[in-house]
Amino acid sequence: MIEDSEIKTTVSPFAIRPGEIKVFDGKDGYVSMNQIIQKINVGHINDLHFRIMEIVNEYEFITSRQLFKLLEKEKFELKSQDKLNNKLEQLVKSKILTRYYFNSEDGKGIYRIYCLEKMGKYLLNSRGIECKWQPTDNTKPVGMIKKRLAGNQIIIAYLRKVEAFDSYEVKPAITAKMAGKTFKAQGAVKISKAGKSISLLFEVVRREEDWQKKLIERMRLYKDFYENFVPFDSGYEIKPQIVIVCEDDRHMVETFKEIVTNAIEIKGVKLCFTTDLRQNDTHLSKSLVEFKMDEETKKYKVETLELKILE
C-alpha cells in the first residue's frame, strides 16, 4: 500500500466537489439470517469479519483504506488492500455492510464508503456489542459523510504517527450549557508524555451548502462550552485544545475570516487549524497552524506551530 507521505494529490479526497451526490453501490435482494449463520459455521465469516463490523459500527462511515490502516495497527495479517476488499465484498453480498461512492461533475469518486446494514446490527448485538445503527443513518448527506471521513483520517494519523498517542474518541459529546445543547465533534485524541496530557478536539469544516452559516452556529456552541467551562465538563479535566480541520490552506483563511468577522472567537482559547493533506506528513509535529496578528501591519498571518509532543 502507498504510504501517506507518497500521496501526491493537491486536493483532499474529502473535499466537497461541485454537484456531488452519493450513489448506492451495495447489493439488492434478500439474504436470510440462516444463510449468514451457515457462512459463520463453515468459517466463511470469521473473527476478522466481526472486527471489521465493529470498526464500521464505531466510525459509522469509513473507507477501505482507513479500515486497512486500523486493522494493520491491530496486527491483523491482511497482506494487501485487495485481500481486505475481498472480505468487504463478502460482507456487502451478505447485506451485513453496505457501500456507497460519490459522483460529481468531475466524475466518479476514487474510493468507496462502507457503513452498516441491518444484518450487521443483528450480528453485533448477538455478541453483546452496543450498536445504535438505524436505517436512516445511511441517508446522511455528502457533507456529513465527508466530515466523518476527514475526522477518521485525523484520528488514524495520530494513532499511527504520534509516539505519545494515548487514546481517541470518534464522536465526543460536548455540552453547551447556556444553550442547553449537546453536540458532537468529529473526533478527539489524548496525547500523554512524561506525566502530562493534552486533549485535542477536532471540528471538521467542509465547503458544503451554507457552510459559513453552519460554521457560525457550531462555533457559538463551542464558545458556550469553553467560556463556561469548569473541570470535568463533558469529561475533560482541563479544556481540550480545539483544532479546526479545513479542506485546504485557502479554506483555513476563509474559515478564520468568518470567525473574526462574526466575532465568534473564543475568549482565552487559541484556535488551531489544520487541513486534510497535512495529516499525510510523516510526522505531525508541524501539522497545526494559528493565525497571529502582525504588530506592524495589523494584519493576520499564518504561523506553523512546532509541537514536540506530536512527534
Side-chain angles (χ1 to χ4, degrees):
M1 172 178 277
I2 296 172
E3 288 301 317
D4 291 352
S5 57
E6 297 172 324
I7 296 172
K8 299 302 179 186
T9 184
T10 56
V11 180
S12 167
F14 310 128
I16 299 292
R17 299 186 297 172
E20 198 163 30
I21 59 170
K22 182 181 71 177
V23 180
F24 177 71
D25 190 40
K27 301 296 178 185
D28 290 319
Y30 176 74
V31 177
S32 73
M33 183 54 81
N34 285 338
Q35 289 173 295
I36 293 173
I37 291 170
Q38 177 61 18
K39 289 181 181 180
I40 294 170
N41 289 340
V42 299
H44 292 167
I45 294 176
N46 54 35
D47 286 345
L48 173 56
H49 292 88
F50 272 94
R51 183 60 190 134
I52 290 169
M53 285 180 238
E54 288 181 52
I55 292 172
V56 174
N57 177 44
E58 182 180 15
Y59 285 83
E60 188 178 9
F61 296 99
I62 195 166
T63 69
S64 58
R65 179 182 172 83
Q66 290 174 344
L67 262 169
F68 186 90
K69 292 293 185 185
L70 288 166
L71 291 166
E72 188 179 51
K73 183 70 177 175
E74 293 181 18
K75 306 302 182 186
F76 279 97
E77 292 187 18
L78 294 165
K79 295 180 182 175
S80 71
Q81 181 72 61
D82 286 342
K83 296 282 187 185
L84 174 60
N85 290 346
N86 291 338
K87 303 285 185 191
L88 290 167
E89 183 66 23
Q90 288 176 295
L91 293 171
V92 170
K93 282 181 176 177
S94 299
K95 297 184 78 67
I96 292 168
L97 300 182
T98 195
R99 182 172 58 202
Y100 294 89
Y101 65 87
F102 296 125
N103 210 354
S104 73
E105 295 169 9
D106 299 332
K108 195 172 178 179
I110 59 171
Y111 57 87
R112 300 291 184 272
I113 307 104
Y114 293 87
C115 48
L116 278 181
E117 261 277 25
K118 182 168 62 177
M119 292 301 187
K121 177 172 183 171
Y122 292 159
L123 289 174
L124 289 173
N125 285 342
S126 76
R127 292 198 167 195
I129 296 163
E130 185 181 23
C131 179
K132 295 179 179 178
W133 177 89
Q134 48 191 6
T136 51
D137 290 349
N138 293 357
T139 66
K140 288 182 178 177
V142 172
M144 289 183 74
I145 296 173
K146 287 208 163 181
K147 285 178 184 178
R148 179 66 268 144
L149 298 177
N152 296 352
Q153 185 193 25
I154 286 266
I155 291 169
I156 294 166
Y158 276 77
L159 185 151
R160 293 178 64 242
K161 299 175 184 179
V162 178
E163 197 174 317
F165 177 87
D166 185 320
S167 60
Y168 72 89
E169 196 173 352
V170 176
K171 299 177 188 174
I174 307 298
T175 301
K177 290 185 286 191
M178 297 300 105
K181 286 185 178 180
T182 297
F183 63 103
K184 291 183 178 181
Q186 281 80 31
V189 298
K190 184 179 179 182
I191 311 297
S192 300
K193 191 173 184 179
K196 294 181 180 179
S197 295
I198 180 174
S199 293
L200 304 179
L201 195 59
F202 300 106
E203 173 63 17
V204 179
V205 183
R206 301 292 94 169
R207 287 188 182 101
E208 57 192 320
E209 188 177 348
D210 291 332
W211 72 267
Q212 296 96 333
K213 181 182 175 184
K214 292 172 183 176
L215 170 67
I216 292 165
E217 290 171 355
R218 294 279 290 187
M219 289 307 297
R220 282 181 177 146
L221 293 175
Y222 279 111
K223 189 175 173 68
D224 184 333
F225 166 68
Y226 278 103
E227 293 184 358
N228 296 287
F229 182 87
V230 296
F232 299 106
D233 273 358
S234 300
Y236 292 99
E237 186 175 354
I238 59 173
K239 291 178 183 178
Q241 172 60 58
I242 186 170
V243 178
I244 300 172
V245 186
C246 300
E247 292 185 4
D248 49 51
D249 286 359
R250 183 179 172 186
H251 191 214
M252 284 197 303
V253 175
E254 294 167 352
T255 301
F256 180 70
K257 185 178 178 182
E258 287 294 326
I259 291 169
V260 173
T261 302
N262 290 280
I264 43 176
E265 300 106 314
I266 302 169
K267 187 178 179 182
V269 174
K270 178 192 292 186
L271 293 181
C272 291
F273 291 79
T274 191
T275 63
D276 297 348
L277 296 183
R278 286 171 184 262
Q279 313 319 307
N280 290 344
D281 293 345
T282 306
H283 302 289
L284 301 181
S285 56
K286 296 180 181 179
S287 63
L288 303 182
V289 304
E290 67 173 320
F291 288 86
K292 275 195 166 182
M293 183 175 282
D294 188 302
E295 292 302 322
E296 290 183 12
T297 64
K298 299 301 179 185
K299 290 182 179 179
Y300 285 101
K301 62 179 181 180
V302 177
E303 273 194 15
T304 298
L305 299 171
E306 190 162 352
L307 303 172
K308 296 286 187 185
I309 197 169
L310 298 186
E311 290 181 344

